[in-house]
Amino acid sequence: MSQKHVKTTPPKIDTAKLSATLANSLVIRLVIACVIFAVSLILSMPEFVRILLLVLTAILAGYDVILDAVRAVESGDYVDTPVIVVLTSIIAFFIGFGIEGAALILLYQIGMLLLNYAREHTKKAALDLLQDQDEALISHMRELISDDEKTYMSIQKVMGDSAGLVLKLAMVLAVIYAIVMPIVTSMSFIVSIHRALIILLVAAPFSVVTSIPTAGAVGLCLNARHGIVYNNAYSMEAMADVTAAVFDKSGIFTEECPRIIAIHSDVLDYDTFLNFVAHAVYYSEQPIANAISAIFDHDYKLDVIKDFREIPGCGVELSIDGIDVLFATRDLLEERGVAIPDNPNEVGTAYYMVVSGRPMGKVVISSDVNQDLEGLIPELKSAGVSRCVLLSEDSKEAGQQFAEMMNFSESYAQCDTEKKLRIISEIARKTKGAVLFVYVNGIETHSDAAIDIRVSNHAKYADAVTLPDAVGNLPISIRIAKRVREVCIENSVFAFVVKAILIFLSIIGYCNLWFAIFIDFAAAVATVLNTIRVTSESFRSKLRYKMGK
């Protein structure tokens, strides 16, 4: 009898449950190791038995740390924290400080447990900022901040490199101290090596940078609360350096799909005239094309459209079934010598259909301005953005008038997609800080700006998305990015200061291995918990506000 081979899909691994299981397993190991450690200290026994119990304590509590150290050495990372911890513990055993060597491994593992708890607690507090948001956003942010790559920020490399340099200097200092002190003083080599080990252990850089990804997670959630969802913390952090902001007008300051106020023709019936207009703007990227396509529900005959040419901000010209057609604003038609009767009472923006030089009718669309964004540009400037640029499809005169009304620094009119990208590239090349580009549609690539934000639910190429009613929160996003960086610097400086104090204490003999690792981890946990201060205003900002600056 033949048997059917059924292809089965392996079950998905529940990472959260797996992490909890591993954490519980570690706790059990640490409890047993602590018991063995206590027995070795309390009971009277031969020295070699005590040493065996201490070694057993270290192996039981930290065999995974040893494996991490081996993997780090194999990959060429000789100054990774597990390598330093394991090396320090082994040397401590050899020079007669077995109790400190075992305690070091125990406290390192307990410290990592507390540190991971602090991270999860802070991330949970960050997600609580979104408790009024929809479940889809909360789920997305939970997944985002759980990914270490998504919470990475450039300041992590800066601080990590600085800490790495300190570690290298500390290694040199430790070697010199271990060799020179017994020569120039009455200190024994065992004591000098012991103190050198403490210096080496304290100089490990992990506590300097450990809080930075958590600060990024808090910043991402706080931005999401204000309606701006970044793809990663790296892009969010770049907002702190923005000195120039470029905005696409359509869909942000005005409607992307304007309302049609009137369609009128004295020559053609409504359906025929609308059919002509729909074919005329079919290939156009201007807002009026969106308005027409929204109401035209017939089939297009694209083979009749020839020689199409976009005139950004002014209309289009083309040939429909061999007939020359111009669909444009009054200003362009008057430049072309086509007379259009004045209508001083007309509301909105009118586009006129001219066929073979003869006016056939007009379409009037709304030109409503988003009143909620009238204060956006002044607020951006107060947040440190010195240059605000408007890109529009309008005529030069209309674009300039709108830019002045909204307080833009400069404007570029009659922009199609290619021209917009070219302008952004030029601005990015000449700007010292970062450039922000905000748009709705029509950009099928990432611009040369440092940050692209799309006003939409989806961002294929952009670094972040927002909705129209949250665009006004961009100044807040810039302040959040600056606050995140500020907290990261404060945490790193605090960790550096703690390390400097511990190194000083170890040099003068008032610090041992277990005390050093305990205080270093306490500082690390404190910096992680401190990252929630991203959600509060800094003391410096409060002081400047009270001083009226």
Side-chain angles (χ1 to χ4, degrees):
M1 181 182 293
S2 64
Q3 293 183 342
K4 292 183 178 180
H5 296 279
V6 181
K7 184 178 180 180
T8 59
T9 303
K12 292 184 178 179
I13 298 175
D14 189 335
T15 55
K17 187 179 292 185
L18 179 61
S19 299
T21 302
L22 291 175
N24 292 334
S25 171
L26 177 58
V27 169
I28 294 171
R29 281 167 40 207
L30 290 177
V31 169
I32 297 173
C34 286
V35 171
I36 297 173
F37 183 69
V39 168
S40 70
L41 297 180
I42 297 172
L43 298 183
S44 177
M45 61 186 72
E47 190 61 26
F48 80 92
V49 176
R50 190 186 311 278
I51 294 297
L52 287 176
L53 288 178
L54 291 173
V55 170
L56 179 61
T57 297
I59 293 175
L60 181 62
Y63 72 85
D64 48 341
V65 181
I66 297 172
L67 293 176
D68 288 340
V70 171
R71 283 191 287 266
V73 170
E74 288 176 348
S75 63
D77 189 358
Y78 301 108
V79 293
D80 195 26
T81 300
V83 176
I84 295 173
V85 170
V86 172
L87 179 64
T88 302
S89 180
I90 291 172
I91 296 176
F93 270 98
F94 274 104
I95 62 174
F97 290 87
I99 294 175
E100 289 188 29
L104 171 61
I105 298 293
L106 265 176
L107 288 173
Y108 177 80
Q109 289 288 62
I110 293 171
M112 288 303 297
L113 275 177
L114 294 175
L115 193 60
N116 289 332
Y117 172 79
R119 287 172 181 154
E120 293 305 316
H121 174 78
T122 306
K123 288 180 180 180
K124 183 179 181 299
L127 287 171
D128 287 343
L129 296 171
L130 305 174
Q131 58 186 350
D132 296 332
Q133 306 295 322
D134 62 86
E135 187 57 38
L137 176 61
I138 296 173
S139 177
H140 170 74
M141 294 306 300
R142 183 181 292 110
E143 182 178 351
L144 185 68
I145 66 175
S146 298
D147 188 339
D148 291 340
E149 292 184 1
K150 300 295 185 181
T151 55
Y152 173 84
M153 295 189 291
S154 62
I155 193 172
Q156 188 170 339
K157 183 178 187 304
V158 174
M159 292 301 176
D161 289 346
S162 300
L165 178 61
V166 171
L167 174 60
K168 292 174 182 176
L169 292 174
M171 292 175 68
V172 174
L173 172 64
V175 171
I176 294 174
Y177 186 93
I179 296 173
V180 173
M181 290 304 292
I183 297 175
V184 299
T185 68
S186 59
M187 184 184 298
S188 68
F189 274 103
I190 290 178
V191 173
S192 68
I193 293 172
H194 177 246
R195 294 183 183 181
L197 288 177
I198 300 169
I199 295 172
L200 182 64
L201 178 67
V202 170
F206 85 99
S207 62
V208 175
V209 299
T210 191
S211 68
I212 294 178
T214 311
V218 176
L220 287 170
C221 289
L222 188 55
N223 270 288
R225 180 184 181 182
H226 289 285
I228 302 172
V229 182
Y230 289 90
N231 296 342
N232 51 62
Y234 186 88
S235 299
M236 176 205 65
E237 181 196 15
M239 288 289 282
D241 300 318
V242 170
T243 57
V246 183
F247 288 87
D248 195 358
K249 177 186 174 184
S250 177
I252 299 175
F253 297 96
T254 58
E255 299 168 289
E256 183 189 8
C257 183
R259 293 177 294 106
I260 293 180
I261 297 175
I263 297 178
H264 176 74
S265 175
D266 292 328
V267 181
L268 303 173
D269 63 82
Y270 176 88
D271 289 337
T272 304
F273 180 66
L274 179 60
N275 192 25
F276 246 99
V277 173
H279 280 78
V281 299
Y282 180 81
Y283 291 111
S284 176
E285 295 181 356
Q286 298 176 58
I288 190 170
N290 296 329
I292 295 298
S293 65
I295 65 169
F296 185 71
D297 55 1
H298 297 289
D299 294 333
Y300 289 88
K301 298 179 180 179
L302 301 182
D303 56 322
V304 303
I305 302 174
K306 305 293 182 183
D307 304 323
F308 176 85
R309 187 170 80 88
E310 184 97 89
I311 309 173
C314 297
V316 298
E317 61 180 339
L318 67 157
S319 170
I320 296 180
D321 207 14
I323 304 171
D324 292 333
V325 175
L326 182 61
F327 185 65
T329 59
R330 179 190 297 274
D331 293 339
L332 180 64
L333 293 177
E334 289 178 350
E335 288 179 10
R336 300 285 183 93
V338 180
I340 301 295
D342 287 333
N343 184 0
N345 298 321
E346 190 168 74
V347 178
T349 303
Y351 286 79
Y352 297 86
M353 172 70 76
V354 177
V355 179
S356 297
R358 178 186 175 188
M360 305 296 289
K362 67 179 179 180
V363 177
V364 183
I365 60 173
S366 63
S367 54
D368 299 334
V369 177
N370 188 345
Q371 302 294 330
D372 295 335
L373 298 181
E374 286 186 350
L376 173 60
I377 304 307
E379 288 179 14
L380 280 172
K381 291 180 178 178
S382 69
V385 183
S386 58
R387 186 181 183 188
C388 296
V389 182
L390 177 69
L391 306 180
S392 72
E393 294 87 2
D394 299 337
S395 63
K396 291 182 179 179
E397 183 179 352
Q400 183 63 32
Q401 288 177 350
F402 187 86
E404 291 176 358
M405 180 181 71
M406 301 297 291
N407 296 299
F408 277 93
S409 310
E410 57 194 276
S411 67
Y412 295 86
Q414 299 181 348
C415 295
D416 56 13
T417 299
E418 183 179 347
K419 184 177 179 181
K420 290 174 184 176
L421 292 173
R422 188 169 63 250
I423 291 169
I424 294 167
S425 180
E426 186 69 16
I427 292 173
R429 187 174 62 84
K430 294 182 178 180
T431 302
K432 290 185 178 180
V435 176
L436 166 68
F437 176 43
V438 186
Y439 68 98
V440 177
N441 272 320
I443 309 296
E444 296 300 323
T445 183
H446 194 291
S447 74
D448 288 337
I451 312 106
D452 280 3
I453 296 181
R454 183 179 179 185
V455 184
S456 171
N457 285 319
H458 306 286
K460 184 176 180 181
Y461 301 102
D463 302 298
V465 294
T466 186
L467 294 178
D469 58 356
V471 174
N473 291 332
L474 286 173
I476 297 176
S477 183
I478 291 175
R479 291 188 175 94
I480 291 172
K482 291 181 178 180
R483 180 64 176 147
V484 167
R485 182 174 290 177
E486 188 177 62
V487 169
C488 288
I489 293 173
E490 288 174 358
N491 286 343
S492 297
V493 170
F494 172 74
F496 268 122
V497 170
V498 170
K499 286 179 180 294
I501 294 172
L502 288 174
I503 288 174
F504 173 74
L505 291 176
S506 64
I507 289 174
I508 63 176
Y510 284 92
C511 181
N512 56 26
L513 288 173
W514 69 261
F515 182 77
I517 196 72
F518 174 78
I519 297 299
D520 202 28
F521 262 109
V525 171
T527 59
V528 170
L529 294 175
N530 186 58
T531 57
I532 200 64
R533 289 181 57 242
V534 166
T535 61
S536 63
E537 193 176 8
S538 67
F539 174 77
R540 184 175 62 179
S541 298
K542 291 179 181 177
L543 185 62
R544 291 180 63 185
Y545 175 77
K546 289 180 179 179
M547 295 176 65
K549 293 183 179 181

